[in-house]
Amino acid sequence: MKRVALTGNEAVSLAMKQINPDVVAAYPITPQTEIVQMFSQYVADGQVDTEFITVESEHSAMSASIGASASGARAMTATSANGLALMWEVMYIAASSRLPIIMPVVNRALSAPINIHCDHSDAMGARDSGWIQLFSENSQEAYDNVIQAIRIAESANVLLPVMVNLDGFIISHAVENIDVLDDEKVQDFIGSYTADYSLLDKDNPITFGPLALQDYYFEAKRQQVEAMKYAHKAIPEVAREYEKLTGRGYGYFTPYRMEDAEVVIIGLGSTMGTAQVAVDELRKEGNKVGLLKLRVFRPFPKEELARMLAGIPVVGVMDRADTFSGNGGPLFADLNTVLYGGEERPELYNFIYGLGGRDINVSNLMEIYRYLLNARDGQTLNRVNYFGVRE
Amino acid sequence: MATLKEMSRKEEILTGGHRLCAGCGASIVARQVLSATQNPVVVALATGCLEVSTTIYPHTAWRSSYIHNAFENVAATLSGVETAFRALKKRGKLEGDFDFIAFGGDGGTYDIGLQSLSGAMERGHDLLYVCYDNGAYMNTGIQRSSATPSGADTTTSPAGRVIPGKRENRKELTDIIAAHNIPYVAQAAPSNWKDMTRKAQKALESDGSTFLNTLAVCPRGWRTAEEKGIEITKLAVDTCFWPLFEVENGKWKLNYKPKEKLPLVEWLKVQGRFKHLFQKGNEEMLEKMQEYVDQRWQKILRLCGEE
């Protein structure tokens, strides 16, 4: 293990280099482009022996990854924003075909207006596609999540694709000191991969992607639900092994100063790092505030979250994407569902923030905490709030 | 080159019992192409008739490995399979050889799949792409595609009181793929089976991307008798609507020159989709169609050095 200064994109491409997948099919898009570039360099310099397909679109990146994965190869790609949206059709096919493809997504706002900066509308657009979705707070987590994703995806009974999210520019382009594993350690951890079924098993030909109508389609979908249940089990198992190797522990989420908290913020990605500082500041003033950084968005850790949040008077839910349902963002909707009917149900308030990369800093988060503290004390607060926007 | 007798003894990769219509040209094309394979095969299909009719779960009509992904991405999908093969072989996880063959209809090839096809051809994956061109979106119920001949009555270019069927000329996809400078591109028809199987074999033996554009009769869409498909295909070839040629490493070669080039109407008049053109007032349409075929034929002759 050594400590190096890397951007998020560098950390992800280093993880990909150490994984040395059989096939990578990728297409450039800001802010993911550097991952493709750096990986191309690894290929050109012989530091990996991956076969790299320079596809002509993200749709083909995912389509080729599906072909490669169905052939028993360990396949990876990476994308952002509109690229992910273009893949949307085939992402469902990857999941339903039970192909353990790994895809870092450098989160960026979806057009229009066209915008290259961070929000989570890309990942949230694919939240129902059947992919496992992990979120990262910083480069270290992005690196660790990519390596763990291989094991999660390839776990027996899971066999689902995994998306590893990291915030565009905020993580992808910022340099941080992170701990990286030796190449051999990564190889030992991920192990070799042998698919149960492959198009290239000439003695056992197989039909992938058949037509299934009223009589069988539903069962295929139902089995995906079971696979997600297995993923829910596999994620902490893989994390425990990874912790043994690195000393860095990962769960479905990370609580921060939650012990006696009366006001808690929950959210995803880099903003949770900023929120930690806000918590520290507010705690200095004696406010009972805490933070819950969610790592696993799909499968949604419903029971664990319900337990963790039970009895907390006020919870602020941070969404860096909107659903345009008029009823708040995607995380807010899921948490409402999870907590509905539960005992000691917290009051939930939604803050939609940072769309198109709008900055959110420590004082912004302190402001949000203060709204929530006031709500705890009986002041009125809208259920859904758009924070930091001209209205 | 295997003889017909030898080929007829080869185990069929696409078995009988599939649910394509009687008289469908797609299965004939597939069987002729597959009869030329000499290695284990991975077949990839674009969404379309051949796909929906051969893999109705829990059944499959394919004895080889088979993958269907979506409508517009069969070339990209198979490029992933072919790349995985190279990757795994390089790492010592696989031995032997495979033939990689994609099949797509004209909708999945000329239209929605064109980008994916062009990308795969440009990258030079070692695979054969076969288009079975039946001249419309037959699977969804006979809608016009960019391969539909002008004048054809389809459900989205219907012959009406004002408009006499499809007004635009078809796209010449074989030429477009030839412009990718890949080792082998050819146009073939199942009426000329020997030419078809020779071309499939040549394509499979070439290193790199190859493309075979084939005419596939659709009795439903063309409104033709089920048992007349091959005869009607032969008319397409003899009227020079569907010239048989190949482009090998950039060199164009004509493979068949009719002894007597038949007038296009000989091919049109046997098909219900062109019936309205023979009504009074549509003579000009027929002339224009003949003119287009003649110009196209002259161009092919010129490119093939046959002038």
Side-chain angles (χ1 to χ4, degrees):
Chain A
M1 190 125 66
K2 59 175 187 267
R3 200 158 178 78
V4 286
L6 295 177
T7 66
N9 280 345
E10 286 169 346
V12 166
S13 50
L14 176 66
M16 288 173 71
K17 175 193 158 233
Q18 295 180 315
I19 291 163
N20 194 10
D22 297 308
V23 175
V24 169
Y27 187 80
I29 181 169
T30 305
Q32 159 269 28
T33 307
E34 288 179 331
I35 295 176
V36 181
Q37 285 178 356
M38 289 183 277
F39 195 79
S40 305
Q41 197 66 50
Y42 289 136
V43 175
D45 293 339
Q47 290 185 274
V48 291
D49 62 351
T50 302
E51 289 293 329
F52 182 44
I53 319 178
T54 49
V55 280
E56 82 300 330
S57 74
E58 289 90 352
H59 195 281
S60 287
M62 185 48 60
S63 301
S65 299
I66 287 168
S69 188
S71 305
R74 195 173 253 161
M76 294 186 76
T77 181
T79 193
S80 289
N82 297 47
L84 187 71
L86 187 59
M87 287 180 181
W88 195 80
E89 177 199 27
V90 266
M91 289 181 66
Y92 278 71
I93 296 169
S96 200
S97 304
R98 307 292 298 279
L99 298 172
I101 297 162
I102 305 301
M103 174 165 66
V105 170
V106 185
N107 301 115
R108 160 185 154 180
L110 285 176
S111 302
I114 188 167
N115 175 300
I116 57 168
H117 292 285
C118 175
D119 71 33
H120 295 158
S121 54
D122 52 4
M124 291 303 164
R127 69 179 175 162
D128 298 343
S129 62
W131 281 57
I132 295 165
Q133 291 183 307
L134 307 178
F135 281 79
S136 321
E137 183 201 312
N138 49 39
S139 297
Q140 183 73 67
E141 291 190 5
Y143 173 84
D144 293 339
N145 278 336
V146 170
I147 293 168
Q148 291 179 69
I150 298 277
R151 287 283 304 277
I152 296 165
E154 294 170 3
S155 295
N157 299 321
V158 176
L159 296 176
L160 287 172
V162 182
M163 180 194 300
V164 174
N165 293 281
L166 60 151
D167 286 351
F169 291 105
I170 302 163
I171 302 177
S172 68
H173 285 61
V175 178
E176 287 175 68
N177 286 325
I178 72 165
D179 290 323
V180 299
L181 291 161
D182 298 334
D183 293 1
E184 311 81 68
K185 286 271 163 62
V186 174
Q187 281 297 316
D188 289 348
F189 181 76
I190 61 171
S192 66
Y193 171 59
T194 307
D196 291 338
Y197 302 99
S198 161
L199 291 167
L200 300 176
D201 181 353
K202 64 178 188 309
D203 300 323
N204 299 292
I206 182 173
T207 289
F208 260 95
L211 174 78
L213 299 173
Q214 298 94 322
D215 48 357
Y216 284 104
Y217 176 89
F218 203 170
E219 280 73 21
K221 294 289 131 185
R222 182 66 185 82
Q223 284 177 337
Q224 276 180 256
V225 178
E226 287 305 299
M228 273 294 189
K229 287 183 189 165
Y230 281 108
H232 183 77
K233 275 195 223 164
I235 289 164
E237 284 167 13
V238 171
R240 272 193 293 279
E241 265 192 66
Y242 195 72
E243 187 174 6
K244 274 186 212 153
L245 184 66
T246 62
R248 293 187 294 278
Y250 284 89
Y252 302 114
F253 43 73
T254 309
Y256 184 70
R257 303 189 81 166
M258 289 278 288
E259 48 289 351
D260 57 347
E262 293 175 358
V263 166
V264 165
I265 276 180
I266 179 168
L268 301 155
S270 62
T271 306
M272 296 302 99
T274 317
Q276 275 194 24
V277 184
V279 167
D280 291 343
E281 292 297 317
L282 289 163
R283 282 272 177 181
K284 275 184 212 159
E285 297 168 15
N287 297 295
K288 291 182 176 173
V289 294
L291 180 69
L292 205 55
K293 173 178 72 182
L294 189 57
R295 171 186 178 229
V296 182
F297 184 68
R298 287 288 180 273
F300 202 64
K302 54 183 196 299
E303 280 153 16
E304 294 80 2
L305 279 171
R307 269 201 303 277
M308 181 58 72
L309 294 173
I312 292 168
V314 169
V315 173
V317 184
M318 302 294 288
D319 266 305
R320 204 161 193 163
D322 201 358
T323 58
F324 304 102
S325 64
N327 192 35
L331 181 56
F332 185 62
D334 277 352
L335 275 172
N336 269 304
T337 308
V338 163
L339 297 171
Y340 183 83
E343 283 171 20
E344 301 183 282
R345 184 189 187 285
E347 287 297 325
L348 290 189
Y349 297 97
N350 194 198
F351 287 84
I352 291 172
Y353 75 101
L355 301 192
R358 178 137 316 165
D359 195 23
I360 182 146
N361 57 30
V362 175
S363 60
N364 296 146
L365 281 150
M366 287 175 71
E367 192 183 336
I368 292 169
Y369 271 115
R370 287 194 208 284
Y371 288 132
L372 295 165
L373 285 162
N374 291 340
R376 178 202 58 185
D377 298 338
Q379 274 193 25
T380 321
L381 181 60
N382 289 336
R383 281 291 159 200
V384 180
N385 303 276
Y386 289 84
F387 183 85
V389 64
R390 298 178 196 90
E391 290 184 309
Chain B
M1 175 93 197
T3 63
L4 181 60
K5 206 172 196 176
E6 284 163 359
M7 283 193 286
S8 69
R9 284 184 191 141
K10 196 172 143 84
E11 189 184 57
E12 294 269 4
I13 290 173
L14 173 61
T15 66
H18 58 68
R19 302 190 210 178
L20 283 159
C21 304
C24 173
S27 56
I28 304 173
V29 166
R31 290 174 57 221
Q32 288 186 3
V33 168
L34 292 166
S35 73
T37 58
Q38 283 164 348
N39 293 307
V41 181
V42 180
V43 166
L45 253 81
T47 306
C49 293
L50 187 59
E51 173 263 323
V52 296
S53 305
T54 57
T55 58
I56 304 174
Y57 191 85
H59 305 289
T60 182
W62 297 92
R63 282 207 178 96
S64 67
S65 274
Y66 164 102
I67 183 166
H68 161 250
N69 189 344
F71 196 1
E72 70 281 51
N73 61 356
V74 65
T77 304
L78 194 60
S79 76
V81 176
E82 185 267 353
T83 306
F85 168 72
R86 282 187 284 112
L88 296 174
K89 196 167 178 178
K90 183 170 72 179
R91 291 179 170 185
K93 291 182 174 178
L94 265 182
E95 284 177 0
D97 261 318
F98 271 90
D99 289 332
F100 299 103
I101 307 176
F103 290 99
D106 49 289
T109 308
Y110 284 66
D111 286 353
I112 199 168
L114 182 62
Q115 176 186 312
S116 167
L117 171 62
S118 176
M121 298 286 109
E122 184 271 334
R123 294 191 300 271
H125 296 279
D126 193 5
L127 58 85
L128 165 61
Y129 191 110
V130 181
C131 176
Y132 63 97
D133 177 355
N134 49 27
Y137 291 86
M138 299 308 185
N139 190 40
T140 44
I142 320 165
Q143 291 79 37
R144 65 87 87 185
S145 76
S146 62
T148 304
S150 65
D153 174 29
T154 75
T155 55
T156 53
S157 64
R161 266 170 290 186
V162 183
I163 303 170
K166 192 193 177 202
R167 288 187 285 191
E168 304 79 17
N169 285 321
R170 41 173 272 115
K171 183 196 278 182
E172 297 300 349
L173 182 67
T174 314
D175 302 19
I176 294 170
I177 302 305
H180 287 67
N181 300 315
I182 55 175
Y184 191 74
V185 175
Q187 201 161 284
S191 53
N192 299 55
W193 65 267
K194 208 165 177 177
D195 182 67
M196 171 86 87
T197 50
R198 181 187 65 81
K199 284 171 174 170
Q201 194 177 331
K202 206 162 187 179
L204 291 167
E205 283 169 1
S206 302
D207 287 330
S209 298
T210 54
F211 178 78
L212 196 53
N213 202 4
T214 70
L215 187 67
V217 61
C218 172
R220 287 270 298 110
W222 294 14
R223 281 176 269 151
T224 52
E226 288 159 7
E227 69 281 11
K228 299 279 187 198
I230 294 298
E231 283 169 47
I232 291 165
T233 307
K234 184 101 180 60
L235 283 171
V237 175
D238 283 334
T239 56
C240 298
F241 169 81
W242 193 262
L244 307 182
F245 61 93
E246 63 195 338
V247 186
E248 194 175 354
N249 296 314
K251 193 165 166 28
W252 290 62
K253 188 180 170 192
L254 192 70
N255 305 117
Y256 176 81
K257 200 171 191 172
K259 284 197 186 72
E260 184 200 353
K261 178 171 172 287
L262 299 177
L264 183 66
V265 292
E266 296 300 313
W267 183 60
L268 301 180
K269 72 183 184 193
V270 295
Q271 302 178 57
R273 62 176 172 161
F274 298 116
K275 195 175 161 195
H276 59 286
L277 298 176
F278 295 93
Q279 287 166 3
K280 211 170 152 36
N282 283 335
E283 297 81 359
E284 200 186 330
M285 194 72 194
L286 286 172
E287 281 167 31
K288 273 172 100 179
M289 289 164 69
Q290 181 66 58
E291 203 178 309
Y292 178 78
V293 166
D294 291 345
Q295 279 176 7
R296 169 86 186 136
W297 178 241
Q298 284 308 313
K299 185 183 171 186
I300 299 282
L301 290 178
R302 194 173 69 246
L303 287 166
C304 296
E306 292 277 341
E307 270 181 332

